[in-house]
Amino acid sequence: MDGDICATATTPPDSDPARKRRVHGMLKLYYGLNEEGKTVDQAESMNPCDINGTHFDPEVYLNKFRRECSLGELMDQESCMVKQIRSLDSDMQTLVYENYNKFISATDTIRKMKNDFKKMEDEMDCLSTNMAAITEFSAHISGTLQDQHAQITKLSGVHNLLRKLQFLFELPARLNKCLELQAYSQAVSSHRRARCVLQQYSHMPSFRGIQDDCHAIMDKLAQELRQKFRDGGSSAKDLSECVELLLQLDEPAEELCDKFLIHAQSRLETNLRGLEAELRPPLSSGPTSVIDPSIGPARRLSAAPTAGSPTDPTSPGNPFLSSSSRTDILEFIDRGCNEFVSSLCLVIASYQELFVNRPQEGNLASKNIPQMAIGKLHAFVDAMATCYFSLVERRIQEEKSVGDNSLLVRALDRFHRRLQAVAKLLPGSAVPSQGTEIVVRAARERIKQYLAALQSFYLDSLRDVRQALAAPRLGGSSAGGGSHLAGSATGKDAPASLPELLSSLSASILNQIKSVLASVHLFTAKDITFSNKPYFKGEFCSQGVRESLVVNFIKFVCQSSRQFCESAGDRGGSTPPALLLLLSRLCLDYETSTITYILTLTDEQFLVQHRSPVTAVAALCGEAREAAQKLLKHYVKVQGLIISQMLRKSVETRDWVNTIEPRNVRAVMKRVVEDTTSIDVQVSLLYEEGTRKAHSSDSSKRTFSVYSGSRQQTRYAPSYTPSAAMDTNFLSNIHKLFSERIDIFSPVEFNKVSVVTGIIKISLKTFLECVRLRTFGRYGLQQIQVDCNYLQMYLWRFVSDENLVHFLLDEIVGSTAHRCLDPAPMEQSVIEVICERG
Amino acid sequence: MEDDAPVIYGLEFQARALTSQTAESDAIRFLVGTQSLKFDNQIHIIDFDDENNIISKSVLQHQAGEIWHISASPADKAVLTTCYNKTSESRVVTCGAVWRMPPEWESGSHESPDDPHNSHNPQNLELLCHLDNSSHGNASCVLWEPMGDGKHVISLADNHALLWDLTESSTQATISSSATLEGKGQLKFTAGKWSPHHNCTQLATANDTAIRGWDLRTMSQIYCIENAHGQLVRDLDFNPNKQYYLASCGDDCKVKFWDVRNINEPVKTLEEHSHWVWSVRFNHSHDQLVLTGSSDSRVILSNMVSISSEPFGHLVDDDDLSDGEDNHQDEKTQEPLQDSIISTYEEHEDSVYAVEWSSADPWLFASLSYDGRLVINRVPRALKYHILL
């Protein structure tokens, strides 16, 4: 309160807003509108010292002041109070005055209102009397108009009926006019409107007449429409209009479908015929297909604009078609797509619009047209597509040259892509899947062609190698290699060629495989639409490329190599031995690395997922190794045969009983050593040395024991028959018994020593067999001794185990001695002298 | 089924010539001729007792020379021919002769083989006649008319084929006709075979790499398989049951089967040996069994079902029909009866130059290697029963 009072005291009374507010607050108080600070008020209101409170007690207030304040303060307080009272007084006066003014003006207003109301009352009375008059009139009018209204309604009904009747009676004429003007749709709609009525009142002759007339006209109209429909020259829009009208005319939908389809068929067949015409090139261009790859680039260039331009490729103005009778496959497919497939799509679309998707109205709905129509459409599309596919397939089959695969792939891609449109238009159709099948078949066919190409390439390379081998060898071997010089010359010629030939052969084959893989890879490229088909993701990669192409090719290589072994032996070894050796090495290389490399490459490139079982690398390697083994074996056989033949002839053609004392080593033995040397050189070019047993220090010098007398063979272990005679020559038998039994025909290993050993074994065995067929005189035996010693001097170094040579030569000399009439062996020293003399 | 172990017999001398005693149909008997330049050559008559697995032998002296070829008369057990080397004045000549075994030889056959006297005092062969062909060169082999009466033989001498008529007692031989192989170079027959078919009017010979057929009535060539083998042809044999089928073997390590009506290609080729094949023989009764001997010291018995005269598996079919199991039958008939190697015999340690089936027991054969070892073997029982049943 102090604050309040102080504030009141301190603030000048003329500060209006504050004062006004306070006055306002007091008024509020007065009227009990206590809206703010109620609680405060209540708290304060109990205070008897609150001068503004309701419980203000002046006594208490005064006492309080008197007790608490000094005189000065009391004085101040008193003056302040006086001031306040004064201001309050003036406030009150102002209020009273204001209220009075307001009261006065209110009284004036009320008085004025009183006057106005009186005037209004008079006007209202007037209005109500007028209204009453109007009501009276209105009732009067309606009363008079009542019966006329009913008549008018009736009249207008009659008027309508008459209009309809007029329409009916005019209908025939109208229809005729429409017919004349070819406003078919109008005619049909008119007729449809009248049809029911006519139908209903057909029992009345006049209506019947109209109906008959209408029928006749409509029949004519339908006839005309059909004619138009049949003519086929009309545009698709016209056609669809026709169909719609005919449908409305209750024409059977099936028939219409059929007709529509037949019409479409004739158009599509024109397209097909166009395609077929391209398919059958003039006979003269038949051979040109062979050189197709050579003209390929030019044709492709010419094909590109044709493919890109939307112009009709059949237009005579097209220079590319007129210039050449034969189109390449891309162009062909393009044409097929642009003409046939787009026409087909159009047909499907319009057909569907006409028959399938049309809003079903009236009685047409009941006939289940869409189902029937869809069925027909499917049959039609299938039939047409079959024709088209057969053409495409024929064209694809003509695509024999494997020069450029991208063209084919692009063509197939386009072919496949365009068929997707059909798929979209006709969801249930088998056409796209058939198309995919064609693509798949084409891909398969392609793989086959590539395999064939690879095979022929391989054979060609082999022929080249053969020629290359024949050229230098002619000089060396056909001249007979009479001297050491000739032998070494062959040896020197060969090193330049054999490994080089091998590496170039294997490199070119590998390159060819790689390029074929790259070509085939196009089929699975990402931007090709059919590459994501399951076939191309799975089977094509694993069964097609890996198995049919790569694995089959490797198998072919092995197989053709093996064939060299089989054919050559029969009819006079036509395969040069060097080729056998080279192929054997090739197969061995395949076994060790190439096959793994090729297959890994394939698997990587094609991301082969082996869902179906595939040929294991190991199996292929095994096959290659087998082929290598067989080739090498055959090589040994062929080379052994050549040397054997020389030895055999030399033994057979000589009279060994009456020969002269040996003075020289026979030339044939020198030749044998030379040939063996050159074989050794040849083999060493392609095969590693291999292991051999340690040589004794004097390998070249060894004495052959000649068992004079009867060299009787033992019974080693006769199981049942006891020996009939005691062995006369224990030494020989025991020697033979304890010297390791040497397997003359052990399998050949992949190294030089083993190969040469094999050849020497075969040769010496032949020598032995030949010797056993002859009878020798003393000098014959001695000659053989000399020869064997010579062979011993030179051959030991080539073989893995020199004991083998010893054994066989021993055996030869022993057998000779046994077949000698007068076995008197030559002194070893003499033999050595003769041999060293050469 | 356990098969019997092979029976081995050893000769003292080297040997190449082996034949079965063709006229003998009861006893299993083989004749072996030895080759020795220094000692008297012998003919060993080897009897095999199948039940006891015992060999008994008799030795006859063949003093004329070392025996290169031996052949027994189809009519008379005691008569045989040999081709032998005769050395005189540093010339070696091969001759042919017809011999008769002394009638007593059989008496000694059952003596103990241990008895040294038996082998050291053998009896001599009785010479019936020489197939004198000094004008025709060296005889390589003498062939009896198959299943004949022992009156006709053919000898092959260098490039001549000589047909001899023997008198009743075989003591005299006259050349009735001859054929000569003309050509450049020194042509020489290496082997020959008298065909048992066509009424015994055909002969097949081998020279170098060619096989020739001859008509004995006109003594003219009827066919010639040039380059039948890559190298020398060593032996021939006729299929006893299929008249046009012929087997040959040679230095190219192959055995080939020919249909002489189509001589461009062999019907079949076997390539199992690793060295020259010296001898090939069809089994007399079951011609799918083919025996070959080679200088790789092996004897191979092959089962050439695909070209045999016996229809495959028809007996099996009968069995199955009685069983009434169709499935089973299908399986059996479809089961490929393929040509196969039945067995490879490795008892020899030297080149095998001759193999021969027994004329008495079709399941038994002998092979002879150069070191004088004769091995008698049997067809494996399993196969035997398979063929029989």
Side-chain angles (χ1 to χ4, degrees), chain A residues 82-134:
Chain A
V82 170
K83 249 192 228 168
Q84 277 184 353
I85 289 167
R86 272 184 202 149
S87 79
L88 278 174
D89 269 347
S90 72
D91 280 352
M92 191 139 73
Q93 277 176 15
T94 317
L95 259 175
V96 168
Y97 180 71
E98 277 175 4
N99 281 346
Y100 180 75
N101 270 352
K102 279 178 187 165
F103 183 75
I104 295 291
S105 68
T107 317
D108 285 351
T109 310
I110 287 166
R111 192 178 300 132
K112 203 175 163 192
M113 271 171 67
K114 233 179 212 165
N115 287 339
D116 287 351
F117 270 116
K118 185 152 269 161
K119 197 176 158 194
M120 208 154 74
E121 214 165 274
D122 293 344
E123 281 174 7
M124 280 308 285
D125 281 347
C126 179
L127 183 69
S128 67
T129 51
N130 284 349
M131 281 306 288
I134 287 168

Side-chain angles (χ1 to χ4, degrees), chain A residues 507-543:
Chain A
S508 68
I509 292 173
L510 202 58
N511 276 338
Q512 195 69 14
I513 291 178
K514 277 184 188 164
S515 75
V516 163
L517 280 182
S519 297
V520 173
H521 197 248
L522 289 175
F523 277 108
T524 59
K526 284 224 163 51
D527 55 335
I528 302 293
T529 44
F530 52 75
S531 67
N532 60 359
K533 293 277 170 200
Y535 169 75
F536 282 96
K537 276 191 165 166
E539 202 193 335
F540 177 76
C541 294
S542 64
Q543 287 305 316

Side-chain angles (χ1 to χ4, degrees), chain A residues 570-571 641 657-658 710 712-713 715-716 721-722 724 745 765-766 769 772-773 818-821, chain B residues 10 12 14 16 37-39 66 87 90 227 231 254 264 274-276 295 350-351 353 370-371 373:
Chain A
D570 273 2
R571 310 264 178 223
L641 173 65
V657 179
N658 300 314
S710 73
Q712 287 175 342
Q713 302 300 308
R715 298 142 293 262
Y716 296 104
T721 316
F745 307 99
K765 178 73 180 174
T766 305
E769 290 296 334
R772 283 178 176 182
L773 287 170
H818 192 255
R819 301 237 17 101
C820 183
L821 294 168
Chain B
E12 297 85 38
Q14 288 166 337
R16 277 174 188 272
L37 288 167
K38 281 115 204 161
F39 299 93
E66 53 176 7
T87 323
S90 66
N227 286 321
Q231 299 173 59
K254 290 175 186 165
N264 296 321
S274 61
H275 205 248
W276 304 354
S295 41
D350 207 333
S351 307
Y353 291 136
Y370 191 58
D371 55 8
R373 178 181 296 194

Side-chain angles (χ1 to χ4, degrees), chain B residues 305 310-335 337 383 385-389:
Chain B
V305 187
E310 293 190 18
F312 353 117
H314 88 108
L315 288 167
V316 179
D317 273 0
D318 288 346
D319 285 352
D320 282 324
L321 282 176
S322 63
D323 285 346
E325 284 177 71
D326 285 352
N327 287 341
H328 193 209
Q329 180 190 353
D330 284 349
E331 266 170 43
K332 281 274 185 171
T333 46
Q334 276 168 16
E335 179 184 314
L337 281 164
L383 179 72
Y385 292 136
H386 182 77
I387 291 172
L388 285 178
L389 298 178

Side-chain angles (χ1 to χ4, degrees), chain B residues 15-24 27-34 43-47 67-74 77 79-82 101 142-144 193 279 281 284 353-360 365-368 374 376:
Chain B
R16 277 174 188 272
L18 166 73
T19 187
S20 66
Q21 200 177 25
T22 323
E24 175 62 69
I28 298 163
R29 189 170 295 147
F30 292 99
L31 306 178
V32 182
T34 64
I43 289 178
H44 288 234
I45 302 163
I46 291 151
D47 265 283
I67 302 168
W68 288 85
H69 186 264
I70 190 168
S71 157
S73 161
K77 280 192 231 180
V79 176
L80 61 102
T81 59
T82 59
M101 295 187 231
V142 177
L143 311 164
W144 288 92
K193 205 78 187 178
S279 181
R281 288 289 179 268
H284 304 306
Y353 291 136
V355 289
E356 201 69 62
W357 291 95
S358 164
S359 53
F365 58 89
S367 54
L368 179 68
L374 179 81
I376 294 177

Side-chain angles (χ1 to χ4, degrees), chain A residues 186-470:
Chain A
Q186 207 182 336
V188 171
S189 68
S190 304
H191 179 251
R192 268 181 63 209
R193 275 195 283 168
R195 195 162 48 182
C196 300
V197 183
L198 286 173
Q199 189 67 36
Q200 201 174 341
Y201 297 100
S202 55
H203 56 276
M204 289 156 81
S206 54
F207 283 105
R208 158 142 283 166
I210 293 171
Q211 195 186 12
D212 289 349
D213 283 356
C214 284
H215 271 310
I217 295 166
M218 288 320 284
D219 282 350
K220 200 172 154 198
L221 187 137
Q223 207 67 40
E224 230 165 282
L225 279 177
R226 262 181 242 137
Q227 185 58 42
K228 190 175 163 190
F229 188 73
R230 210 173 295 134
D231 280 353
S234 45
S235 71
K237 200 181 158 212
D238 284 350
L239 209 61
S240 64
E241 199 183 85
C242 262
V243 169
E244 201 161 343
L245 292 177
L246 282 171
L247 273 179
Q248 284 176 1
L249 282 178
D250 271 355
E251 199 72 14
E254 283 181 43
E255 210 170 290
L256 278 181
C257 290
D258 287 345
K259 276 187 188 156
F260 184 87
L261 290 180
I262 286 169
H263 177 66
Q265 188 174 2
S266 70
R267 268 186 304 170
L268 290 174
E269 267 168 2
T270 333
N271 290 338
L272 286 178
R273 266 196 295 281
L275 286 177
E276 199 168 4
E278 285 189 31
L279 205 56
R280 280 204 207 107
L283 282 175
S284 61
S285 74
T288 60
S289 64
V290 181
I291 54 159
D292 215 8
S294 61
I295 60 162
R299 303 255 351 107
R300 241 166 290 128
L301 278 179
S302 71
T306 321
S309 67
T311 55
D312 186 6
T314 50
S315 64
N318 192 325
F320 304 113
L321 279 174
S322 53
S323 64
S324 158
S325 58
R326 191 173 169 80
T327 51
D328 68 28
I329 182 152
L330 187 59
E331 204 172 326
F332 177 85
I333 293 285
D334 253 336
R335 195 174 154 183
C337 291
N338 287 341
E339 293 179 13
F340 176 81
V341 179
S342 40
S343 305
L344 186 67
C345 288
L346 205 65
V347 167
I348 294 172
S350 53
Y351 182 92
Q352 279 182 328
E353 211 162 287
L354 286 179
F355 299 106
V356 184
N357 296 337
R358 54 185 290 117
Q360 313 233 324
E361 53 201 14
N363 53 353
L364 292 179
S366 61
K367 292 186 182 167
N368 211 359
I369 289 176
Q371 220 162 355
M372 178 275 299
I374 279 280
K376 278 192 187 300
L377 180 62
H378 274 293
F380 169 75
V381 168
D382 285 353
M384 291 319 289
T386 312
C387 295
Y388 174 57
F389 287 159
S390 76
L391 286 178
V392 169
E393 274 201 285
R394 267 169 61 192
R395 181 66 186 88
I396 290 172
Q397 273 162 15
E398 279 175 26
E399 204 63 14
K400 289 276 184 268
S401 82
V402 288
D404 186 11
N405 198 35
S406 65
L407 206 62
L408 177 72
V409 174
R410 260 165 55 207
L412 287 177
D413 179 40
R414 202 155 296 176
F415 168 72
H416 188 260
R417 202 188 295 268
R418 291 299 287 265
L419 284 181
Q420 300 311 307
V422 179
K424 260 174 218 150
L425 279 172
L426 200 61
S429 169
V431 171
S433 62
Q434 279 172 2
T436 311
E437 265 168 41
I438 285 181
V439 173
V440 166
R441 270 202 293 278
R444 283 209 184 105
E445 194 55 39
R446 205 65 181 161
I447 285 177
K448 271 188 208 146
Q449 285 167 1
Y450 271 117
L451 179 63
L454 269 183
Q455 289 175 347
S456 72
F457 174 82
Y458 174 70
L459 292 179
D460 286 350
S461 321
L462 277 193
R463 203 169 46 235
D464 291 349
V465 168
R466 214 167 163 151
Q467 276 162 4
L469 281 176

